[in-house]
């Protein structure tokens, strides 16, 4: 499995190469898209990207957990978590592996 990580710079470089915007404009575009997604998720909205997947925020209620080392019960406070559900197309692409 590859150790490569896709970063914001990689995305803006791809926009620069594929779309033809300047590097600065490409970086601003990527940043604006990510900021818009982040703002929407913070407001509790879902973010659906066709053929990619759905990001959503889930509210988890308070519960009692256990410390695995000692077995003591520990209260876990309620919280919001971010979830991602890939589309069927994305699942198929990942399952098929890297294709060029």
């Amino acid at each position: 499995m590859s150790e490569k990580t896709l970063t914001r710079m990689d995305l803006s470089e791809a926009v620069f190469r594929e779309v033809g915007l300047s590097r600065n404009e490409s970086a601003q575009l990527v940043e604006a898209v990510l900021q818009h997604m982040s703002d929407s998720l913070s407001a509790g909205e879902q973010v659906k990207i066709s053929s990619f997947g759905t990001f959503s925020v889930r509210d988890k209620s308070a519960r009692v957990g256990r410390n695995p080392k000692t077995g003591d019960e520990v209260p876990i406070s309620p919280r919001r978590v971010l979830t991602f559900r890939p589309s069927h197309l994305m699942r198929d692409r990942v399952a098929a592996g890297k294709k060029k």
Side-chain angles (χ1 to χ4, degrees), residues 21-74:
L21 295 175
S22 72
R23 279 193 165 89
N24 193 28
E25 289 171 328
S26 298
Q28 289 174 349
L29 176 65
V30 168
E31 192 60 39
V33 169
L34 294 175
Q35 186 64 48
H36 191 68
M37 288 174 63
S38 178
D39 291 345
S40 296
L41 290 165
S42 294
E45 299 174 23
Q46 279 190 345
V47 175
K48 268 187 188 177
I49 302 173
S50 180
S51 302
F52 187 77
T54 304
F55 295 90
S56 57
V57 177
R58 215 174 103 213
D59 291 316
K60 295 185 99 176
S61 58
R63 62 187 177 90
V64 177
R66 254 182 225 289
N67 180 333
K69 193 171 190 176
T70 63
D72 293 341
E73 289 187 353
V74 179

